[in-house]
Amino acid sequence: MMSFKQSATDAQKQLEKQSRRKRGVIALSLLPALLALQLNAALAALYLALLGGVLVVRFYLQRQRIDEQSVSTVIAASSSASSLASNAVSNAANRAGSGGPVQLQGHLTGDVVKSPMTASDCVFWRLEFHAQQESANNDHRVLVATVFSRPYVAFSDETGVAWIRAQDVDWHLQSKQGKIFAQASDMGEFESWLGHGFVDRWYEQCHARPIKYASDWMVVETLVRADTPLFVEGHIQKRRSNQTDFDDLDFDDSSQMGFQGSPVDCALANEPIVCVHDSQDSDTESALKQAWVGVLQQIEGHQLGGSSGESLSGSHEINVLTRGSDAKASLEIYEGSKANGRRLLSLKMYLSLALVAISLGYLAVMGPEQLPIAIEQLKGFFARS
């Protein structure tokens, strides 16, 4: 069975991967084009045509994945997952009850709160803190920390509720607002939202150079309102309310029976959680565990701030949405309906197709003249190396 420390670490690594992946893909994709452009414009156009073709195929396959599956409901998807788990106990992936990817349509539920930056009414918000380091040669912006309004959020449709760990999600939301600060000390207003000493703790936990030498900071707020329709792609699992590992793989496991929570756990379940990137001294893992125990206490009806002697009985069945464990593991949430998710992928595909068309058009005009020169330049480059 996966321990919580492992699962929480995986969640933090996945959050890191989300930000790094976007920066890495952009950098690795454009670097060869820039290098080729220094040698020959036609060579750069050829590379961009190939890159655009790869992107067209990628976005097309993603769109097909959405098209090939019908939207389900929480209760139908969890029943299917539970049935699969009971029929194949020996297979760890099946015991997880994921039953393959599911698509759901619904919204987030919970107490309405004010978002920190825009003071908008919402049920969930996220703040992303970017440090920008300027130098003579580049302008480098790094995602330093992400703050979620709460560690776990409840997704609901007309049939039931499924819980989501906010860190696990690739959020595709439209409600975004950014604000730039000249220096970290100018963000003092955030201390009242995130707790006294937040910026100081931030520096203590993360020793990345862009933070120490940042020329300015950008804070981006994303939020979800109570009436915002959401389309979800992920894997659903069913488990008991005494299973304190969010990634617990065994629905019938009763080893956690009698586990006692505390008022601190309940408080953490309803407070913002700060995830400092690239930190070697982050307490996010322990906070995630305590917050999930707090969610379970509230599901079982324990009083917020009650005695620490209350035990988790496992009397409730709950659903959770996860990234899954297969090669294409993902948990995507799009604002709007399934059509919005499909439309976003179609837009990306058509933009990539336009890149291919423009590059091929340039090659058709200039390629016969410039490509032979580029080939000779490449031969000379490899001969020298």
Side-chain angles (χ1 to χ4, degrees):
M1 181 183 298
M2 184 182 294
S3 69
F4 187 87
K5 183 173 179 57
Q6 289 173 318
S7 62
T9 301
D10 288 344
Q12 182 69 9
K13 287 180 179 178
Q14 185 60 46
L15 186 64
E16 301 283 351
K17 190 183 297 183
Q18 290 176 23
S19 60
R20 289 177 184 158
R21 182 175 55 202
K22 294 176 181 178
R23 298 196 306 266
V25 167
I26 293 174
L28 290 176
S29 299
L30 294 181
L31 181 60
L34 294 175
L35 294 176
L37 186 60
Q38 293 180 353
L39 293 174
N40 189 286
L43 190 62
L46 178 60
Y47 171 79
L48 290 175
L50 294 174
L51 175 63
V54 171
L55 293 176
V56 168
V57 172
R58 178 189 175 193
F59 295 134
Y60 173 78
L61 292 177
Q62 288 181 339
R63 192 181 68 175
Q64 286 297 104
R65 188 184 67 190
I66 290 180
D67 290 341
E68 290 172 356
Q69 189 174 359
S70 59
V71 177
S72 182
T73 62
V74 170
I75 189 169
S78 63
S79 297
S80 175
S82 180
S83 175
L84 179 60
S86 64
N87 291 335
V89 177
S90 61
N91 185 293
N94 286 335
R95 284 191 5 245
S98 68
V102 296
Q103 295 181 2
L104 303 172
Q105 187 75 50
H107 57 278
L108 298 186
T109 59
D111 295 335
V112 176
V113 295
K114 294 286 186 182
S115 63
M117 184 178 296
T118 60
S120 302
D121 290 335
C122 61
V123 293
F124 173 76
W125 54 260
R126 178 187 68 180
L127 293 178
E128 293 178 302
F129 294 79
H130 301 260
Q132 179 168 294
Q133 180 185 359
E134 291 184 355
S135 66
N137 299 322
N138 61 13
D139 186 1
H140 189 43
R141 189 177 295 277
V142 176
L143 179 61
V144 176
T146 303
V147 183
F148 301 97
S149 60
R150 59 190 63 190
Y152 301 90
V153 292
F155 174 84
S156 175
D157 62 12
E158 69 276 7
T159 68
V161 175
W163 287 88
I164 300 171
R165 183 164 53 199
Q167 277 184 285
D168 292 346
V169 179
D170 289 329
W171 298 93
H172 304 280
L173 303 175
Q174 301 171 12
S175 302
K176 290 187 177 183
Q177 181 71 35
K179 189 173 183 180
I180 295 179
F181 298 87
Q183 52 189 353
S185 59
D186 293 340
M187 295 191 296
E189 58 185 289
F190 280 94
E191 297 213 340
S192 63
W193 300 328
L194 305 175
H196 179 69
F198 165 71
V199 174
D200 292 335
R201 294 196 308 274
W202 191 0
Y203 277 106
E204 291 173 1
Q205 292 184 29
C206 189
H207 307 291
R209 178 182 174 88
I211 300 176
K212 186 176 181 180
Y213 298 100
S215 56
D216 64 60
W217 298 77
M218 172 177 283
V219 183
V220 179
E221 176 188 275
T222 310
L223 59 87
V224 179
R225 295 180 173 84
D227 58 351
T228 301
L230 299 174
F231 169 64
V232 178
E233 258 200 311
H235 292 69
I236 197 164
Q237 298 179 16
K238 179 181 285 189
R239 76 272 310 281
R240 298 287 184 187
S241 57
N242 65 325
Q243 292 178 296
T244 57
D245 290 351
F246 186 78
D247 290 288
D248 194 353
L249 299 182
D250 194 344
F251 171 75
D252 295 319
D253 176 60
S254 58
S255 61
Q256 300 291 340
M257 192 70 73
F259 185 93
Q260 294 182 348
S262 72
V264 175
D265 301 330
C266 286
L268 287 173
N270 297 281
E271 293 178 355
I273 184 168
V274 181
C275 305
V276 181
H277 299 280
D278 298 318
S279 173
Q280 302 300 317
D281 188 31
S282 176
D283 58 358
T284 303
E285 295 174 19
S286 59
L288 281 172
K289 177 177 175 61
Q290 289 183 271
W292 180 239
V293 172
V295 171
L296 297 177
Q297 287 182 277
Q298 294 174 59
I299 289 174
E300 291 195 352
H302 296 189
Q303 293 295 320
L304 183 64
S307 68
S308 59
E310 293 178 294
S311 299
L312 295 172
S313 64
S315 57
H316 290 66
E317 292 184 1
I318 58 176
N319 304 304
V320 300
L321 283 165
T322 69
R323 302 185 66 87
S325 57
D326 57 23
K328 298 180 179 179
S330 65
L331 180 56
E332 312 271 347
I333 294 185
Y334 297 88
E335 184 171 339
S337 63
K338 178 176 179 175
N340 291 80
R342 189 183 187 281
R343 190 178 302 114
L344 178 61
L345 291 172
S346 296
L347 177 61
K348 293 179 179 180
M349 186 181 72
Y350 293 138
L351 289 175
S352 302
L353 194 59
L355 176 63
V356 173
I358 293 173
S359 300
L360 290 179
Y362 183 86
L363 283 173
V365 176
M366 305 299 297
E369 176 185 347
Q370 293 187 3
L371 282 180
I373 299 175
I375 293 174
E376 292 302 321
Q377 290 175 326
L378 286 175
K379 286 180 179 180
F381 173 79
F382 287 116
R384 290 191 300 271
S385 60

